[in-house]
């Protein structure tokens, strides 16, 4: 599944969209004290109040928002799983009986409750329906309708949300002309910040892939192992944060622990060039870096004494697999934003990878200092800093 396919699906989740049909919604309330289902209810989605429908649509869209391998993870199912979730999900997908679908989703909730303890009351929301994806590019010359170019995809979506108690407030009653204490104790379901969930099936080349599921987490780079492995029976997926750590360890193995900022900037520029070429060629799969690609990137960045064998050994040392491939988009910070944080006890400096070359660590009068090259005067609280000469000419 690529980011374009995710974006297209996410856009369908709005009211009265003619490329989306939601048939049923099931809400399950789980209490933290007993770790049991306290209440559940199922309704045809079209009979739900419109105001509630809008809240749910916002929740589903939020669930599907984020970068792949950071908040969204396409998972393969474990082949050797006992009582596999894939069978349960596929049966729920193809059944036309709302009661059977409901019972299967409640079995999935039972999986969520095994060997886990919730810190707050939780609500699991399930919907079933279908959306449409294009089967080919739109023909502007013949003005073909978008509906003539789409294919229906049945789906199941799950969002797990936490609850919170309402804040204690003081109200003014206009009728009685008196101040009143707010005693509402009903918990608030945090639909705007889903904890996790999934979309089944996943999509490959605009076709449903029943052998994969899209897992969604509310916390970047921290998928819930219990939900992934025990509830969905999904195979463990490497996060972008973990892949970046692998990349850094491999570079340190071949180039040493210390690099100057210009070299690091060159490395990021070369990787960004790989990403841009991939986008310009309209490749659906994200670009990947193997040991040969990394050798080329590091050589182009000015790192000397590199050989294919040296980089290959580094892959074997760090990941125990010389043929391991890293996603180019995962191994570097976002290129055009100030995504690099340089933290010291005095200050934290934010800089983009492309501007890293203007930051240097220097030795001045026996002290390590950060030096930043600037083109204009620096203004602090309205005061223009005086330019000091560090070296007498």
């Amino acid at each position: 599944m690529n980011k374009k396919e995710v974006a297209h699906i996410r856009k369908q989740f709005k009211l009265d969209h003619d490329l989306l049909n939601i048939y049923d919604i099931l809400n399950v309330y789980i209490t933290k004290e007993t770790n049991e289902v306290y209440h559940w209810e199922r309704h045809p989605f079209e009979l739900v109040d419109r105001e509630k429908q809008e809240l749910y649509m916002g929740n589903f869209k939020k669930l599907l928002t984020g970068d792949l391998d950071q908040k969204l993870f396409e998972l393969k199912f474990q082949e050797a799983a006992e009582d596999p979730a894939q069978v349960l999900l596929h049966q729920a997908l193809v059944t036309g009986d709302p009661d059977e679908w409901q019972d299967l989703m409640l079995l999935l909730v039972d999986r969520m409750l095994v060997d886990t303890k919730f810190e707050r009351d939780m609500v699991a929301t399930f919907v079933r329906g279908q959306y449409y994806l294009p089967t080919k590019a739109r023909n502007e010359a013949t003005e073909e309708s978008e509906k003539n170019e789409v294919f229906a995809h049945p789906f199941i979506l799950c969002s797990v949300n936490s609850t919170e108690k309402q804040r204690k407030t003081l109200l003014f009653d206009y009728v009685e002309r008196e101040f009143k204490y707010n005693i509402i104790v009903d918990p608030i379901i945090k639909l705007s910040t889903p904890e996790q969930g999934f979309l089944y099936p996943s999509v490959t080349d605009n076709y449903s892939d029943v052998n994969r599921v899209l897992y969604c987490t509310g916390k970047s780079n921290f998928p819930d192992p219990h939900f992934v492995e025990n509830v969905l029976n999904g195979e463990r997926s490497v996060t972008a944060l973990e892949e970046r750590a692998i990349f850094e360890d491999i570079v340190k193995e071949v180039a040493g622990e210390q690099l100057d900022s210009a070299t690091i900037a060159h490395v990021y520029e070369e990787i960004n060039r790989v990403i841009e070429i991939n986008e310009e060629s309209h490749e659906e799969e994200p670009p990947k870096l193997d040991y040969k690609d990394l050798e080329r990137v590091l050589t182009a960045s000015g790192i000397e004494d590199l050989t294919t064998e040296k980089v290959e050994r580094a892959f074997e040392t760090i990941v125990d697999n010389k043929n391991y491939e890293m996603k180019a988009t995962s191994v570097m910070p976002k290129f055009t934003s100030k995504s690099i944080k340089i933290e010291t006890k005095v200050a934290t400096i934010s800089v983009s990878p492309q501007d890293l070359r203007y930051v240097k660590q220097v030795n001045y009068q026996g002290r390590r200092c950060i030096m930043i090259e600037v083109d204009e005067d620096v203004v602090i609280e309205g005061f223009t800093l005086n330019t000091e000469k560090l070296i007498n000419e």
Side-chain angles (χ1 to χ4, degrees), residues 171-353:
L171 306 178
F172 179 72
D173 188 329
Y174 274 97
V175 177
E176 299 296 331
R177 295 191 180 188
E178 64 178 344
F179 294 96
K180 291 184 177 180
Y181 177 63
N182 183 5
I183 57 174
I184 298 175
V185 295
D186 295 334
I188 298 173
I189 302 169
K190 299 169 67 175
L191 290 177
S192 61
T193 54
E195 299 279 330
Q196 59 186 337
F198 66 85
L199 173 72
Y200 177 79
S202 182
V203 173
T204 301
D205 295 330
N206 284 348
Y207 291 96
S208 292
D209 187 347
V210 296
N211 295 314
R212 298 170 188 259
V213 60
L214 183 69
Y215 168 76
C216 318
T217 178
K219 191 174 182 182
S220 293
N221 291 297
F222 288 97
D224 181 352
H226 175 267
F227 199 98
V228 167
E229 298 173 16
N230 298 346
V231 178
L232 295 177
N233 298 143
E235 293 183 357
R236 178 75 169 85
S237 179
V238 178
T239 69
L241 191 65
E242 291 169 336
E243 194 131 86
R244 189 175 302 171
I246 291 171
F247 167 77
E248 292 170 356
D249 287 342
I250 291 175
V251 174
K252 290 176 185 177
E253 185 75 16
V254 298
E257 292 282 338
Q258 295 186 343
L259 294 173
D260 58 59
S261 58
T263 300
I264 300 173
H266 274 128
V267 171
Y268 289 149
E269 286 174 357
E270 289 297 322
I271 296 175
N272 187 65
R273 188 173 291 112
V274 172
I275 296 171
E276 289 180 339
I277 292 173
N278 180 266
E279 291 176 347
E280 290 170 0
S281 62
H282 302 290
E283 293 288 338
E284 296 295 338
E285 289 296 319
K288 295 183 179 180
L289 304 172
D290 60 15
Y291 69 88
K292 294 179 182 178
D293 298 320
L294 189 58
E295 180 199 359
R296 182 191 57 77
V297 165
L298 297 180
T299 301
S301 303
I303 296 178
E304 301 177 347
D305 301 325
L306 277 183
T307 64
T308 302
E309 292 74 19
K310 188 174 182 179
V311 181
E312 186 178 346
R313 284 197 303 271
F315 270 72
E316 291 178 337
T317 301
I318 302 302
V319 292
D320 196 26
N321 181 5
K322 70 176 183 179
N323 296 316
Y324 184 81
E325 294 180 324
M326 299 174 286
K327 289 184 179 178
T329 52
S330 297
V331 302
M332 58 178 285
K334 291 186 177 180
F335 192 71
T336 56
S337 64
K338 295 181 178 180
S339 53
I340 295 178
K341 306 295 181 185
I342 304 173
E343 297 185 356
T344 73
K345 66 178 183 180
V346 176
T348 298
I349 303 167
S350 300
V351 62
S352 67

Side-chain angles (χ1 to χ4, degrees), residues 8 19 132-153 206-207:
H8 186 90
L19 296 181
Y132 298 84
L133 284 178
T135 56
K136 59 180 178 178
R138 183 171 181 173
N139 189 336
E140 297 291 347
T142 59
E143 296 184 354
E144 290 183 47
S145 144
E146 191 171 332
K147 287 185 180 179
N148 293 334
E149 303 170 5
V150 296
F151 188 79
H153 293 258
N206 284 348
Y207 291 96

Side-chain angles (χ1 to χ4, degrees), residues 24-28 37 40-42 83 87-89 91-93 95-112 126 128 156:
D24 294 283
I25 182 168
L26 171 67
N27 283 307
V28 183
V37 173
W40 62 264
E41 61 183 37
R42 187 196 84 228
D83 191 19
V87 174
L88 184 155
L89 287 170
Q91 180 60 31
L93 183 72
T95 183
D97 183 355
D99 290 328
E100 183 181 9
W101 172 77
Q102 162 198 295
D103 293 341
L104 291 168
M105 293 302 96
L106 290 174
L107 288 176
L108 206 61
V109 172
D110 291 340
R111 289 172 175 257
M112 298 180 193
F126 300 87
R128 70 183 189 99
I156 296 169

Side-chain angles (χ1 to χ4, degrees), residues 31-170:
T31 56
K32 66 176 183 179
E33 286 84 3
T34 62
N35 205 47
E36 295 177 349
V37 173
Y38 178 76
H39 174 72
W40 62 264
E41 61 183 37
R42 187 196 84 228
H43 299 286
F45 193 74
E46 63 182 6
L47 299 184
V48 175
D49 292 342
R50 189 172 180 84
E51 292 77 10
K52 289 183 181 179
Q53 289 182 353
E54 289 179 349
L55 290 174
Y56 287 128
M57 287 297 189
N59 172 227
F60 303 150
K61 185 171 289 189
K62 184 71 174 179
L63 181 72
L64 297 172
T65 299
D67 294 326
L68 289 166
D69 300 319
Q70 295 186 35
K71 297 191 75 173
L72 307 175
F73 299 86
E74 187 181 42
L75 307 176
K76 295 180 181 179
F77 289 105
Q78 301 170 13
E79 294 183 358
E82 295 183 11
D83 191 19
Q86 182 182 8
V87 174
L88 184 155
L89 287 170
H90 188 264
Q91 180 60 31
L93 183 72
V94 299
T95 183
D97 183 355
D99 290 328
E100 183 181 9
W101 172 77
Q102 162 198 295
D103 293 341
L104 291 168
M105 293 302 96
L106 290 174
L107 288 176
L108 206 61
V109 172
D110 291 340
R111 289 172 175 257
M112 298 180 193
L113 302 179
V114 175
D115 297 328
T116 189
K117 184 66 179 175
F118 297 111
E119 296 180 359
R120 288 173 285 184
D121 289 1
M122 307 294 290
V123 175
T125 300
F126 300 87
V127 292
R128 70 183 189 99
Q130 71 177 11
Y131 59 85
Y132 298 84
L133 284 178
T135 56
K136 59 180 178 178
R138 183 171 181 173
N139 189 336
E140 297 291 347
T142 59
E143 296 184 354
E144 290 183 47
S145 144
E146 191 171 332
K147 287 185 180 179
N148 293 334
E149 303 170 5
V150 296
F151 188 79
H153 293 258
F155 74 93
I156 296 169
L157 184 141
C158 167
S159 177
V160 180
N161 299 75
S162 61
T163 66
E164 64 181 359
K165 294 181 180 179
Q166 297 195 42
R167 296 179 181 177
K168 299 177 181 179
T169 57
L170 193 65

